[in-house]
Amino acid sequence: MTDQATADGVGRQAPVTPPDSRPARAGRLPRALHPGAWWLWALGLATAASHTTNPLPLALLVAAAALVVVRRRGDAPWAFAFRMYLILGAVIVAMRVVFRLVFGGGQGDHVLLHLPEIPLPAWAAGIRLFGPVAAEQLLGGFYDGLRLATMLICLGAANALANPKRLLKAVPGALYAVSTAVVVALSVAPQLVESVLRVRRARRLRGAAGQGLRALRGIALPVLADALDRSLALAAAMDSRGYGRTAAIPAGQRALTGGLVLAGLVGVCVGTYGLLDTTVPGYLGLPMLIVGLATAVAGMLLAGRQVRRSRYRPDRWPITEVVVAGCGVATAVVMAVAGSVDPARLYPPVSPLTWPELTPLMLLVVAVAVAPAWLAPPPTLADHRTPRPVLIPSDGTTRSSPKRDTSESEAQR
């Protein structure tokens, strides 16, 4: 029933539009991007970061990943875990520099400080604890740590943007059990972060005092209990949906499938070794790699038929997913091209000390990496749902309409 104007002052029901809501443009409706596209984009950024130790493009790649996460992340629990990856990246850089301090960093012309050296026995020859510290060694540790931290942050961006539960729809049937374990493992860290934030918020609302180690007991126990509750609920939900159950497969077919997959993986390993080592015969290189891949794919296809599961709404791969994944692939390709054109710029020397430089190809890498911040569709947020209508009384004031239970209103009718 609709509310109509009455004589007792209660007016009609009219929707109220939030002040910041604007009509979405055609083709830019909020939706969740396919998680495979985000992971391909992030792997492309991580691959590009692995090809350089130049801190300038590495810092720009971190900024690009952070901008994409800020603009395109949703409000799911895993979307708030990107800060943890930033902190972990900073810890990695600090640890690499500290290792150069502790295990001898005196190889260089610019000695910054002299630490007391700890003598070691003869069997530990080649290892030095403390001693003189040179700027070249510290800078080398900073470059290596920053490269590793950038790769980790890029993968953390994919973890914050992609829905790990949707990955179950994209993996082949042969990897069904493995993908389930991986998806559960990937969702542990974001859920723990969300639990810690919720417990801290509840403690502040209750006026709980104490910080640091004092508050650890009050936070750790509720988070542990929440993790156990989530685990039990997830186990019950997976068991009710038939996860882990396979059809009755004959022993011969199961042995054939396992043998094909194992032989294919061995062929892939031998073919990869043949491509890297030029001294082995030619047939152990690319031909062996192709045969191994074909055998492994055939085994996985046969193993996929053993898994009987229903598929509700197949996950589509529209053109936007292709564009976002292409940005990641293009980032890695352009960085590889930059390394072949001018490798000295990608790996700045630490002795003698030189200031790192940027090239146009490096700037193009960053521009392609940050493009999904505008090319990807905006995410669906809980705050963007249709607001509840309000009642407009005859005196001109507005008040929210009361929430009523649907079953109660139907019963009254």
Side-chain angles (χ1 to χ4, degrees):
M1 297 177 63
T2 58
D3 295 333
Q4 298 178 354
T6 57
D8 56 358
V10 179
R12 58 184 177 84
Q13 187 177 14
V16 174
T17 305
D20 57 346
S21 63
R22 290 173 293 180
R25 294 179 297 175
R28 303 298 296 175
L29 295 177
R31 69 178 181 89
L33 203 70
H34 195 285
W38 285 127
W39 275 105
L40 289 177
W41 167 80
L43 289 175
L45 266 66
T47 304
S50 65
H51 282 79
T52 179
T53 57
N54 193 330
L56 298 182
L58 291 177
L60 291 177
L61 284 176
V62 172
L67 180 60
V68 174
V69 170
V70 170
R71 288 183 57 89
R72 289 298 178 258
R73 69 176 176 182
D75 53 358
W78 54 81
F80 300 96
F82 185 69
R83 184 189 306 175
M84 181 181 64
Y85 290 96
L86 292 176
I87 297 174
L88 186 58
V91 171
I92 290 175
V93 175
M95 289 179 61
R96 295 288 294 182
V97 175
V98 170
F99 284 164
R100 296 298 178 97
L101 284 172
V102 175
F103 296 102
Q107 293 80 13
D109 299 331
H110 301 81
V111 178
L112 300 179
L113 68 159
H114 294 270
L115 297 177
E117 184 175 352
I118 300 177
L120 296 176
W123 55 266
I127 301 176
R128 187 180 64 181
L129 293 180
F130 300 103
V133 179
E136 289 82 358
Q137 294 297 317
L138 294 183
L139 193 60
F142 174 75
Y143 286 172
D144 293 338
L146 184 60
R147 176 171 60 176
L148 182 58
T150 304
M151 297 171 62
L152 178 66
I153 291 172
C154 292
L155 298 181
N159 197 8
L161 292 169
N163 187 348
K165 300 176 183 178
R166 288 180 60 187
L167 290 177
L168 286 174
K169 298 182 180 180
V171 296
L175 303 178
Y176 175 65
V178 177
S179 63
T180 303
V182 171
V183 169
V184 172
L186 289 176
S187 60
V188 168
Q191 288 180 357
L192 286 179
V193 173
E194 193 265 341
S195 298
V196 171
L197 295 177
R198 187 172 63 253
V199 171
R200 291 180 59 185
R201 190 182 305 113
R203 285 175 55 84
R204 286 196 300 266
L205 291 176
R206 295 187 180 96
Q211 296 180 355
L213 295 178
R214 295 182 179 179
L216 181 61
R217 181 179 179 182
I219 295 177
L221 292 180
V223 170
L224 180 60
D226 185 68
L228 292 176
D229 292 340
R230 288 176 182 266
S231 300
L232 294 176
L234 178 61
M238 294 176 66
D239 182 69
S240 63
R241 289 167 174 81
Y243 280 82
R245 302 174 186 174
T246 57
I249 306 298
Q253 185 177 356
R254 188 181 297 109
L256 176 62
T257 301
L260 288 176
V261 174
L262 183 60
L265 294 179
V266 172
V268 169
C269 294
V270 174
T272 304
Y273 179 79
L275 289 177
L276 297 177
D277 190 359
T278 57
T279 60
V280 299
Y283 63 86
L284 293 179
L286 184 60
M288 181 61 70
L289 180 61
I290 295 176
V291 172
L293 287 175
T295 306
V297 169
M300 288 186 179
L301 291 177
L302 290 178
R305 295 181 179 180
Q306 301 176 7
V307 179
R308 296 181 179 179
R309 57 170 179 168
S310 59
R311 186 180 296 270
Y312 178 71
R313 291 182 181 178
D315 217 347
R316 304 294 181 182
W317 190 276
I319 187 62
T320 308
E321 277 74 1
V322 177
V323 172
V324 173
C327 289
V329 175
T331 301
V333 170
V334 175
M335 183 64 78
V337 172
S340 61
V341 172
D342 194 358
R345 301 292 179 86
L346 292 182
Y347 297 92
V350 296
S351 182
L353 295 176
T354 55
W355 184 259
E357 299 178 0
L358 282 174
T359 62
L361 286 178
M362 295 181 189
L363 295 177
L364 180 60
V365 166
V366 178
V368 175
V370 79
W374 292 273
L375 297 179
T380 55
L381 303 176
D383 297 338
H384 292 170
R385 296 172 182 172
T386 305
R388 288 184 300 167
V390 299
L391 298 178
I392 304 178
S394 58
D395 55 359
T397 60
T398 61
R399 61 179 181 270
S400 300
S401 61
K403 292 180 64 178
R404 300 180 60 185
D405 189 9
T406 305
S407 59
E408 180 183 355
S409 60
E410 293 291 340
Q412 291 179 357
R413 292 179 186 176

